[in-house]
């Protein structure tokens, strides 16, 4: 179960290409059980018209498949699987285990999760299952077994989809028992646990395993390592559930790839470990159409997902054709945006562009969520655009499917560090890990420098430059990895609050690991000086935000920028020793961009193109150049030489015009 992060897929294991077979998968979640059966032929007709070649079935169908304990109603699914096969549409078949039927909770209330305050999460929504419940696991295995036995050899089946967006926690009693077993496995003895958790503080020492409970409602700040371990445990428990179902479906259909869809940048799952357990890495992605940096957020998630797939192709399992139904205000996508963001996913390595969902529901909690066919039906703008996208993806497929996206820069990211840094007793509640990561990715994205993500213990030797926006917690192995990388001549740029804590969230002597201080030329880190909202730190040539630090440089450090004025006047804001740089603040976006661009230049990493108009994104995939205009005005992009635009079919010489939200995919 414990596959180390970054493990490449086993040779001979099935992968996404077994499902795509040279195509780009196009389609989405199909919930025909919400519609009278008479609509199914009409659905298929429209799917064919739109170029849909893949549907995801059964995601929430447990109650339909097993309406009462032990019953099996597969007839409707038999008919659907056959219908799809008849029309050449592949099926990504989901195990229905993310929404247990009401009878399970009624007969076995212990399958329902409890939150920190002891409140039960009842049925009537979805995801009301405890990952630690033996009954839930047994029932989930039973329905998965029967599903896999029945459809494992069905010719329509192209992929297994386990559960859906695993994301639950449970603080109840059965979870408490599982937590203890997980801790026994990790620490062996109570003495080791007491040491790791620092229970000497506030008299928390444990004398009996049964005294240990999940972090529950408490009077004041909770033990940080207990909270950290509970997050690790939760991620591992969910992964155990996922792997158990995976093993069942694999037994019945070893040649069919297995996936479980991630939520984008979801805090609750160590997706490095998860990805190593899957045949296909898939993600659901819903940038806000109104967010001026929505495309950047999309690019970040896509780069992350591709990296979890070890740089190979990945699957966009869900996106929205228009509005979602879970934001405070749900905005539709303006004309062209669905196409543009679909092409962006392909540019960044997706070989599958799919949606939640095929047809907008008329009832239920998501009745206002868009579909590939919206409430306006066939004549609706949304469906017309879907047809255009389907046709374009079919055009692109022979040129892109299976090709790779070169990236010279790695951004390091680790869930353990995110979890530990988010503790309520942190130095500043304003220091939001995900936001800092996003700021650094944005700087590189705006500079047209394509990035990958990597775990801090991954082999980094393939990257010319490595950046660490913030890794508060670093293992010894990760520190050795980083220092070895820089000592071998790699360009390393590291942000504040990195290397502060060890694996148990114990502050390293000196406030930052000695090996890292030495690497960056920091003699003493005297104090952290987090900034208040709106407060900035004036530095040479730029303004720092969010953070500052009182650092005394060592003798061979080069101070590239200093704080000016205030308590830290004259102290280093940016420090370099050899090829390793340390930023003790978060420079404002243009300054961070300039700084990282400068470092990339020194490292010999070139942007995809120079001199692009504002709002244009350029990405290379295989031999193709994707140009994406995220702006609302037409622009002209200089592209020296002659090319063929695969989308318009035109020959392009030296420059290409991109319409508002327009795109070009240039082949040599
Ligand atoms: C997630 C879920 C879907 C659906 C969409 C709505 O991605 O997996 O079932 O709820 O959100 O955006």
């Amino acid at each position: 179960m414990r596959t180390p992060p970054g493990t490449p897929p086993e040779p001979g294991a099935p992968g996404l290409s077994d499902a795509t077979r040279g195509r780009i998968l196009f389609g989405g979640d199909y919930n025909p059980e919400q519609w009278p059966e008479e609509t199914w032929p009409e659905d298929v007709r429209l799917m064919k018209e739109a170029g849909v070649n893949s549907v995801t079935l059964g995601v929430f169908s447990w109650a339909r498949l097993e309406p009462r304990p032990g019953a099996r109603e597969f007839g409707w699914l038999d008919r659907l699987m056959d219908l799809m096969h008849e029309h050449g549409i592949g099926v990504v078949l989901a195990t229905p285990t993310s929404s247990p039927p009401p009878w399970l909770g009624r007969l076995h209330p212990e399958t329902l999760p409890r939150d920190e305050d002891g409140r039960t999460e009842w049925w009537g929504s979805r995801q009301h299952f405890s990952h630690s419940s033996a009954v839930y696991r047994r029932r989930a295995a039973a329905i998965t077994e029967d599903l896999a036995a029945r459809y494992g050899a069905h010719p329509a089946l192209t992929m297994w989809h386990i559960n859906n967006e695993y994301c639950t926690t449970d603080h109840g009693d059965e979870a408490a028992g599982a937590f203890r077993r997980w801790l026994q496995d990790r620490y062996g003895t109570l003495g080791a646990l007491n040491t790791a958790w620092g229970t000497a503080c506030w008299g928390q020492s444990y004398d009996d395993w049964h005294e240990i409970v999940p972090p529950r409602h408490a009077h004041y700040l909770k033990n940080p390592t207990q909270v950290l371990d509970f997050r690790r445990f939760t991620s591992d428990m969910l992964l155990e559930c996922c792997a158990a179902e995976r093993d069942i479906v694999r037994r019945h259909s070893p040649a069919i790839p297995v996936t479980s869809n991630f939520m984008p940048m979801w805090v609750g799952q160590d997706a490095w470990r998860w990805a190593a357990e899957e045949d296909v890495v898939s993600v659901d992605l819903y940038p806000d159409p109104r967010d001026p940096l929505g495309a950047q957020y999309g690019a970040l998630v896509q780069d992350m997902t591709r990296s979890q797939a070890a740089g190979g192709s990945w699957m966009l399992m869900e996106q929205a054709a228009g509005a979602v139904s879970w934001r405070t205000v749900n905005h539709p996508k303006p004309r062209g945006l669905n196409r543009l963001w679909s092409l962006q996913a392909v540019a960044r390595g997706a070989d599958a562009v799919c949606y939640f969902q095929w047809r907008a529901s008329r009832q239920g909690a998501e009745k206002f969520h868009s579909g590939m066919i919206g409430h306006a039906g066939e004549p609706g703008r949304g469906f017309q655009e879907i047809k255009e996208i389907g046709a374009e993806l079919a055009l692109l497929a022979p040129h892109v499917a299976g090709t790779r996206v070169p990236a010279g820069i790695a951004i390091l990211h680790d869930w353990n560090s995110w979890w530990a840094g988010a503790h309520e007793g942190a130095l500043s509640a304003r220091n939001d890990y995900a936001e800092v990561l996003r700021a650094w990715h944005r700087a590189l994205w705006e500079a047209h420098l394509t990035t990958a993500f990597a775990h801090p213990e991954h082999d980094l030797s393939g990257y010319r430059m490595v950046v660490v926006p913030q890794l508060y917690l670093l293992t010894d192995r990760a520190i050795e990895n980083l220092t070895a990388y820089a000592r071998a001549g790699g360009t390393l740029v590291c942000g504040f609050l990195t290397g502060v804590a060890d694996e148990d969230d114990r502050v390293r002597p000196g406030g930052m690991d000695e090996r890292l201080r030495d690497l960056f030329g920091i003699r003493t880190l005297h104090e952290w000086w987090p900034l208040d909202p709106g407060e900035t730190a004036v530095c040479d040539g730029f303004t720092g935000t969010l953070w500052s630090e009182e650092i005394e440089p060592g003798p061979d450090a080069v101070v590239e920028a200093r704080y000016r004025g205030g308590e830290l006047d004259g102290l280093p804001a940016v420090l370099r020793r050899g090829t390793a740089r340390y930023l003790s603040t978060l420079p404002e976006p243009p300054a961070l961009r300039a700084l990282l661009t400068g470092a990339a230049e020194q490292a010999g990493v070139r942007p995809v193109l120079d001199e692009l108009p504002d709002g244009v994104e350029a990405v290379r995939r295989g031999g193709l150049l994707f140009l994406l205009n995220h702006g609302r005005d037409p622009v002209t992009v200089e592209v020296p030489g002659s090319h063929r635009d695969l989308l318009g079919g035109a020959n392009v010489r030296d420059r290409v015009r991109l319409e508002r939200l327009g795109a070009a995919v240039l082949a040599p």
Side-chain angles (χ1 to χ4, degrees), residues 45 110 157 210 337 346 381-382 400 405 428 466 537 560 576:
R45 178 184 73 76
E110 72 277 20
L157 180 70
H210 288 96
L337 193 61
V346 175
R381 166 170 76 81
V400 289
V405 179
S428 164
V466 168
E560 295 194 322
R576 181 174 64 77

Side-chain angles (χ1 to χ4, degrees), residues 120-121 131 161 176 186 254 294 351 365 370 372 442 453 482 519 521 573 623 648:
T120 300
E121 291 186 356
H131 49 59
H161 175 301
R186 183 175 176 88
D351 275 356
S370 58
M372 297 171 83
R442 172 187 171 183
F453 282 82
L482 281 187
L519 185 72

Side-chain angles (χ1 to χ4, degrees), residues 491-514:
T491 297
L492 178 68
V493 188
C494 196
F496 63 85
L497 211 66
T498 290
V500 173
D502 69 11
E503 204 169 348
D504 298 331
D505 195 10
R506 186 183 290 107
V507 176
R508 301 241 181 211
M512 180 189 204
D513 183 82
E514 194 183 358

Side-chain angles (χ1 to χ4, degrees), residues 29 31 59-60 126-127 161 164-165 261-264 284-286 318-320 323-326 356 366 369:
D29 280 29
N31 296 307
V59 178
F60 301 112
R126 62 184 199 188
Q127 280 141 337
H161 175 301
N164 189 65
E165 294 189 339
N261 50 340
F262 291 148
M263 285 199 266
D284 303 339
L285 176 57
Y286 296 97
E318 295 178 21
Q319 62 171 343
V324 298
S325 59
W326 39 262
F356 178 84
E366 297 186 305
H369 196 290

